[in-house]
Structures are given as C-alpha cells and as structure tokens.
C-alpha cells in the first residue's frame, strides 16, 4: 500500500479491492466471538435483501398422552414463534483524507488501515453488545431480559424469567444461571432447555472472564469457605469443560450495570439463539472521488447492510452481580 493517496494515483480502485479482500477473507488482526452466541444468517432469508425477514420457529405445544386405538387424537394448531430482523444501512466509518503528500506526511491511511479493517470486522459484535445492553423488546413484545409467557398466545400460561439479580460469577452463580435455563417452560408445559448442550458463559470484563475460566478449566480447585473458616481446603469444582467462557469487551460500559453482568447461554440449537445477526450486505470499503474538484481530499468510508435483533429469551439468562 502506498504512503499516501497522491502516490497511489489512479489505482484507488486497487486500494479498495485490497481492503475488501482482506476484510472478507478474515485477513484481519482481531477475532470476533458474536458468531458463537448468535444465529448468523448470511445466505438464507437474510441474504435475500427484503426489508423485514421473518424467522418462524415451530415449537411443540402438546405433551405425550396415552390413547386407546379407537380414541380420537387431540389435534391442535401449531405454535409458531415469529422472530424478525430488519435490514438497514450500517455506517461503520466515513473520513476525509488529504491527497497532498505535504499535508499527509505520515501516510495516515496506510498506518490506520489495520485499525480500519478491525473496526469493520467488529461492527456486528458492537451491535450485538448494543442489543444485550439495551434490552429491547423481543418476539413476544416484552424486553429480552425479564418476565415472559411460556406461550405468548395464551394469557394464563406459565411465566418465566431470564433475569437474575444479586448473582455473582462464582460456582453458586453458575449453578443458579444454568439451573434457571434448565427450568424454562415451553407452550405445552415441557422444558424448552431439556438439553443444555455446548453452553457458554458470556463475559463483558476480563476479570469476569478469568473467573469463568478458572471455574471451567479441567481439574479446577476452589476453596470451600464455611462460616469464618477462610482457610478451608480447596475442592474440585467438577465443571471441567462443561461450559466455555467467552469474552466480549464491547459489553462493558463504564459506570453502568453492564460491568456487573454476565450471561449463561444454551447453544443446543444453532437457530434458537438469543440474538439474530442478519447480513444482507457484507462490510465493504469504498473511496469517493466525487468531491475532489471542491477540495484536496477524498472520502474513504465503510458500510454494511443488515440488522442485529433479539432472538429467543429462552436460551439466555442475564445475571447481575451485587
């Protein structure tokens, strides 16, 4: 890559092509983790580009019932949870750079290009953190974290909550978080998370992440303190490999409760996740020369199209430490 735009000359198209190739072939320095907690739709419904995509999920609403050979079956209408995600232009950044070598002696864009690539790669993760922190309404018209009906179509069905307060990220807290997930009821009274598979604990701070790793590691030993016996012997947690800690620093907002929050997530299904990332157009860099006649600068910008929307509240619990 040349030191500045004056040296690049007419090959600005090559610069944009190189950036886009690096971005869309994962040739960036930073790793993203949003794919591990969200249902990412790049080629299915999301890729078709309609303004609103629907993701219907059919759920079982009947429990097994013994019947005689001549008895009539108890037919019912299928219960469908209709999740949606939109499609908007997402501006990642837009900046002007001088075309004059004398006023760009440091070759700013050349030195900043790796950061620009990282910012573009991280934008879906930033939007995922915004949804988790913002707690918007989900498919049933209530906030993602809070109280929900087992069957939103029937007013008197069982309530459940996926929001725990005063819950530290320790062994007891993890038991409480996954224990709450395991009790989430479905429309017919059956358990939605009867199978908790490949679970994760999502952390917004590095301190939380280290705590989760210590508990999850194979052969981990934690002190068992009873009353004033601060010197109690350590015992194995028994959690070795049962869940995966994930660190997403974008969740941390200084001065807010986000620094206290962590999230147990069930990943038994690739589609039934707490977030939907709908990608209708992948991130791209563009270089705009249209205003070069008015000023000695050109605009470099990156944008994408899609949406990040709430998924199923049944698959996640928000835990807030005291």
């Amino acid at each position: 890559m040349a030191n500045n735009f004056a040296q690049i000359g007419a090959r600005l198209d090559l610069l944009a092509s190189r950036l886009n190739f690096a971005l869309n072939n994962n040739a960036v320095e930073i790793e993203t983790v949003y794919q591990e907690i969200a249902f990412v739709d790049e080629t299915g419904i999301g890729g078709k580009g309609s303004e609103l995509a629907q993701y219907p999920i059919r759920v079982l609403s009947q429990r097994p019932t013994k019947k005689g050979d001549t008895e009539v079956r108890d037919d019912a209408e299928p219960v469908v949870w209709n999740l949606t995600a939109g499609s908007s232009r997402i501006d990642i950044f837009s900046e002007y750079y001088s075309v004059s070598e004398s006023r760009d002696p440091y070759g700013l864009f050349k030195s900043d290009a790796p950061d620009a690539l990282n910012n573009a790669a991280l934008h879906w993760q930033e939007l995922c953190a915004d949804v988790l922190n913002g707690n918007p309404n989900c498919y049933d018209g209530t906030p993602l974290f809070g109280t929900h009906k087992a069957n939103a179509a029937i007013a008197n069905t069982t309530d459940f909550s996926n929001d725990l307060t005063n819950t530290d990220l320790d062994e007891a807290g993890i038991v409480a978080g996954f224990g709450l997930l395991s009790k989430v009821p479905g429309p017919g009274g059956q358990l939605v998370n009867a199978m908790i598979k490949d679970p994760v604990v999502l952390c917004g701070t590095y301190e939380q992440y280290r705590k989760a790793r210590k508990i999850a590691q194979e052969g981990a030993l934690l002190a068992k303190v009873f009353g004033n016996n601060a010197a109690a012997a350590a015992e194995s947690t028994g959690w070795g490999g049962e869940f995966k800690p994930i660190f997403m620093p974008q969740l941390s907002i200084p001065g807010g409760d986000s620094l206290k929050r962590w999230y147990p997530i069930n990943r038994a299904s690739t589609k039934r996740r707490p977030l939907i990332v709908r990608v209708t157009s992948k991130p791209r860099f563009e270089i705009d020369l249209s205003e070069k006649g008015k000023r000695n600068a050109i605009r470099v910008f990156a944008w994408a199209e899609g949406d990040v929307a709430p998924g199923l509240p049944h698959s996640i619990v928000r835990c807030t430490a005291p």
Side-chain angles (χ1 to χ4, degrees):
M1 190 181 297
N3 287 334
N4 53 53
F5 290 114
Q7 291 175 310
I8 295 172
R11 300 313 307 273
L12 292 172
D13 57 333
L14 179 59
L15 172 63
S17 296
R18 286 178 176 176
L19 290 171
N20 287 321
F21 179 84
L23 179 62
N24 291 304
N25 286 275
N26 297 320
V28 294
E29 297 174 346
I30 199 162
E31 293 184 3
T32 55
V33 298
Y34 70 90
Q35 304 94 325
E36 300 199 48
I37 62 169
F39 168 56
V40 181
D41 183 16
E42 293 182 321
T43 59
I45 297 173
K48 294 180 180 179
S50 59
E51 187 173 351
L52 186 68
Q54 296 183 339
Y55 299 90
I57 296 179
R58 180 260 180 188
V59 291
L60 186 66
S61 61
Q62 295 175 309
R63 292 183 59 82
T65 304
K66 288 184 178 180
K67 291 283 188 179
D69 290 341
T70 60
E71 289 185 87
V72 177
R73 289 184 173 86
D74 298 326
D75 297 322
E77 293 291 328
V79 174
V80 177
W81 293 337
N82 192 28
L83 282 60
T84 61
S87 179
S88 302
R89 188 188 83 198
I90 302 168
D91 288 342
I92 301 170
F93 74 88
S94 179
E95 297 174 339
Y96 278 104
Y97 288 89
S98 175
V99 298
S100 171
E101 184 174 0
S102 65
R103 285 178 292 282
D104 185 20
Y106 304 110
L108 284 179
F109 192 71
K110 178 183 178 182
S111 60
D112 288 348
D115 285 339
L117 285 169
N118 290 337
N119 290 339
L122 278 171
H123 85 281
W124 293 120
Q125 191 156 302
E126 294 276 2
L127 295 175
C128 286
D130 289 346
V131 171
L132 293 177
N133 284 328
N135 196 21
N137 288 349
C138 59
Y139 79 99
D140 61 2
T142 62
L144 177 63
F145 301 109
T147 301
H148 302 270
K149 295 286 184 185
N151 186 352
I154 301 176
N156 61 353
T157 52
T158 307
D159 291 345
F160 73 90
S161 173
N162 64 343
D163 199 10
L164 281 177
T165 59
N166 297 316
T167 307
D168 276 318
L169 205 173
D170 53 21
E171 190 176 1
I174 290 174
V175 170
F178 283 117
L180 184 57
L181 270 180
S182 70
K183 297 181 181 71
V184 173
Q190 76 283 2
L191 298 177
V192 174
N193 295 310
M195 178 177 66
I196 294 182
K197 181 181 178 183
D198 196 22
V200 302
V201 170
L202 179 65
C203 307
T205 69
Y206 191 70
E207 291 79 9
Q208 291 174 336
Y209 175 66
R210 292 301 305 176
K211 283 183 180 180
R213 284 199 61 183
K214 185 173 182 179
I215 297 171
Q217 69 184 2
E218 198 71 41
L221 297 176
L222 295 181
K224 302 294 182 180
V225 180
F226 302 96
N228 295 323
N229 183 16
E235 295 180 4
S236 173
T237 65
W239 286 95
E242 285 196 31
F243 67 87
K244 178 181 179 180
I246 293 179
F247 179 39
M248 184 187 286
Q250 291 77 19
L251 286 168
S252 297
I253 301 176
D257 284 342
S258 66
L259 297 175
K260 303 177 182 180
R261 288 174 177 157
W262 53 281
Y263 306 83
I265 299 173
N266 184 18
R267 301 193 300 177
S269 168
T270 56
K271 187 176 181 181
R272 301 184 183 196
R273 296 285 176 88
L275 297 171
I276 298 172
V277 175
R278 183 191 179 200
V279 182
T280 50
S281 181
K282 292 183 178 182
R284 72 188 74 174
F285 288 91
E286 293 194 29
I287 298 175
D288 179 14
L289 303 176
S290 63
E291 297 187 22
K292 191 177 177 183
K294 300 178 182 178
R295 64 189 83 201
N296 276 15
I298 59 176
R299 179 191 289 119
V300 180
F301 61 98
W303 65 287
E305 283 186 333
D307 191 19
V308 175
L312 281 181
H314 308 68
S315 60
I316 186 171
V317 169
R318 180 176 70 178
C319 300
T320 305

